[in-house]
Amino acid sequence: MKSSSSDTLALHGGSPVVTAAKPHFSWPIIDNRTHMAIARQLDESISLYNRSGMIARVEDRLRAAIGVEHALLTNSGTSALHSMYVACDLGPGDEVICPVYTFFATATPLFFTGAIPVLVDCGSDGNISPAAVEAAITPRTKAIVATHMWGIPCDMEPLVALAERHGLMLLEDTSHAYGATCGGRNVGSFGRAAAQSLQGQKPLTGGEGGVLLTNDAEVYRRGIAVGHYNVRCKQEIPTGHRLHEFAVTGMGLKFRIHPLAAAIVDQQMDCYDEILMGRTRTATRMAEVLGKLPGLTAVLPKPDDTSSWYAFILRVDDEVPGGAGADMIQKALLAEGALEADRPGSTRPLAELPLFRNPGALFPAYRDMISPQPDDFPQATQFHESIIKLPVWNRPEDDPLVDQYLSAFLKVWKHLESGGSL
Ligand SMILES: Cc1ncc(COP(=O)(O)O)c(C=O)c1O
């Protein structure tokens, strides 16, 4: 990796550093093995009513991979979260402590249960702050939800301790973090239940899909009743169980995953370890180079933890020479051809979104809910305003492209350190 032959920023008319052909990143990896998996499933079945065939296979693989007793596939991460909240008996008036910095679907299904999402601030890694959780606990609190943002595990030890001390359910949103570990333990195995998106961008994907994970047989059975009516309820909810008489309708929703999506998840799982190894190698290299630039801090897992490397997050702070902010730096990087340098938009502090500011306009039960204000969450606001997000490439053949991206950062910093402005 070299710095650019021309020191003039592309933003100021110089030549861009990144010259690799587009697209620079595409995900998921769809190859001949994916095509074969789909073709096999097409011949076998495209609608499965019960836990059989590809559905049973993927659920068994997922529960073994995470180390929990039960996995229930759903048609999205949002429906897995919805199933989890209903299955955990959350209802009107129950307070559920949620991260303010997460994708909105971590919390939105709560609006269909009557439970109240209580938003709390994050720490410097963007993950829910255990101190903020503790401060938000009231006699009405029933659960804490932790999203492992961008693949970096939350600080689980204090969250587990808080949940135990106050008799609360700990729930996880592992959508970004399949394969990540905290203190040697898989994320998704810490609390009463976890929900995970299997949508197209996610580290483990079926294009669309989700999964509910739990060690609790009652949560699993209620999860089936939420969105898997009739055959699956009849087969998996025992005859004497109080939910059995509702088997024909369940709770009336339909959250079944498409078997073709399950077949893609199955095929992606075959390659997952190798992909994660590749991503970890790239992330280590990116951290080594970018971590040396003043004012730029890579968000990394703690020493006993590992990330899924869903993304590589860099925080821009006041120490950047000349005081350039994340927006200007991204603009300079984009001009250098680093087209994947992103400033996340839809994932933002939830208190900024109309649905959370004024849920009563859409859900009458929430008419009296006190709106959270963005100013209440200074860390999340700062995190959101200061980050640049990069993809984490996994293949050795992407190394020259990674080098070009790193060179783009070095060029921008060289310019700033020599007193230039953006
Ligand atoms: C943290 C998080 N939770 C939940 C979801 C929702 O998943 P889905 O799009 O599969 O419904 C997403 C999707 O982006 C997410 O990022």
Side-chain angles (χ1 to χ4, degrees):
M1 184 186 39
K2 307 188 289 257
S3 65
S4 162
S5 54
S6 155
D7 286 342
T8 309
L9 293 186
L11 195 62
H12 300 156
S15 309
V17 175
V18 182
T19 53
K22 290 177 278 191
H24 291 168
F25 185 74
S26 69
W27 185 258
I29 297 165
I30 303 290
D31 58 21
N32 197 34
R33 292 168 295 185
T34 327
H35 287 263
M36 305 267 288
I38 292 284
R40 276 194 304 273
Q41 189 57 41
L42 265 177
D43 287 339
E44 199 177 304
S45 168
I46 59 163
S47 178
L48 286 167
Y49 293 180
N50 62 355
R51 208 181 99 78
S52 64
M54 187 52 78
I55 305 297
R57 175 176 163 81
V58 175
E59 288 183 351
D60 285 343
R61 287 189 83 176
L62 283 168
R63 66 195 182 93
I66 303 296
V68 294
E69 286 289 317
H70 308 281
L72 177 66
L73 286 167
T74 56
N75 53 9
S76 74
T78 308
S79 54
L81 285 149
H82 193 147
S83 304
M84 176 169 80
Y85 295 139
V86 176
C88 288
D89 263 331
L90 294 167
D94 293 339
E95 292 181 1
V96 179
I97 298 178
C98 300
V100 70
Y101 184 70
T102 182
F103 184 69
F104 58 77
T106 303
T108 48
L110 290 168
F111 290 125
F112 296 84
T113 68
I116 299 161
V118 175
L119 305 180
V120 301
D121 212 350
C122 62
S124 60
D125 59 357
N127 281 334
I128 194 164
S129 149
V133 169
E134 185 159 23
I137 294 171
T138 75
R140 291 176 300 283
T141 307
K142 286 281 164 54
I144 304 165
V145 188
T147 309
H148 308 281
M149 287 305 294
W150 308 118
I152 304 283
C154 292
D155 200 356
M156 294 310 284
E157 204 179 308
L159 292 176
V160 169
L162 274 175
E164 277 174 8
R165 187 158 7 112
H166 294 270
L168 306 173
M169 279 182 269
L170 182 59
L171 306 173
E172 294 173 82
D173 179 342
T174 55
S175 297
H176 295 185
Y178 180 74
T181 59
C182 182
R185 188 165 155 186
N186 293 315
V187 302
S189 67
F190 279 87
R192 173 76 57 89
Q196 182 178 317
S197 169
L198 299 166
Q199 181 270 337
Q201 296 299 312
K202 301 301 182 297
L204 178 65
T205 180
E208 297 291 349
V211 63
L212 170 65
L213 300 153
T214 183
N215 277 317
D216 186 321
E218 273 309 289
V219 170
Y220 175 66
R221 287 173 188 149
R222 275 182 67 83
I224 292 172
V226 175
H228 295 74
Y229 54 70
N230 211 356
V231 181
R232 200 155 175 177
C233 281
K234 285 179 184 156
Q235 289 182 348
E236 294 189 70
I237 300 176
T239 324
H241 193 281
R242 68 195 161 86
L243 287 175
H244 189 81
E245 65 165 307
F246 300 99
V248 171
T249 57
M251 295 190 203
L253 297 176
K254 183 176 177 180
F255 284 166
R256 289 205 295 258
I257 194 171
H258 197 297
L260 294 179
I264 297 174
V265 176
D266 184 49
Q267 184 272 321
Q268 297 282 313
M269 285 182 88
D270 291 342
C271 320
Y272 197 85
D273 289 350
E274 198 187 327
I275 288 172
L276 184 52
M277 226 153 42
R279 283 187 166 183
T280 305
R281 189 182 59 84
T282 305
T284 306
R285 178 160 165 62
M286 285 161 60
E288 258 164 32
V289 175
L290 301 178
K292 294 197 180 97
L293 300 181
L296 201 60
T297 308
V299 179
L300 303 175
K302 288 183 276 306
D304 286 344
D305 300 351
T306 63
S307 175
S308 68
W309 297 117
Y310 177 41
F312 192 85
I313 302 291
L314 291 153
R315 287 188 72 145
V316 172
D317 66 34
D318 299 345
E319 304 297 311
V320 173
D327 283 333
M328 278 313 296
I329 291 170
Q330 184 210 20
K331 209 167 153 192
L333 291 168
L334 292 176
E336 294 299 336
L339 304 178
E340 296 290 339
D342 184 28
R343 297 261 301 112
S346 60
T347 297
R348 53 170 53 241
L350 303 185
E352 295 177 8
L353 300 171
L355 176 56
F356 289 88
R357 302 291 299 279
N358 186 15
L362 298 176
F363 298 97
Y366 293 83
R367 259 195 297 257
D368 298 329
M369 187 172 141
I370 298 163
S371 301
Q373 301 295 319
D375 290 353
D376 298 340
F377 310 100
Q379 291 267 30
T381 305
Q382 200 193 11
F383 188 84
H384 177 61
E385 285 173 2
S386 71
I387 63 169
I388 293 177
K389 168 175 157 281
L390 294 175
V392 187
W393 292 268
N394 67 287
R395 303 173 310 174
E397 55 267 40
D398 290 321
D399 286 357
L401 175 66
V402 175
D403 283 350
Q404 290 194 341
Y405 269 68
L406 296 177
S407 296
F409 275 87
L410 296 182
K411 182 179 173 188
V412 171
W413 253 257
K414 189 171 175 195
H415 171 84
L416 293 172
E417 285 178 315
S418 63
S421 60
L422 297 180

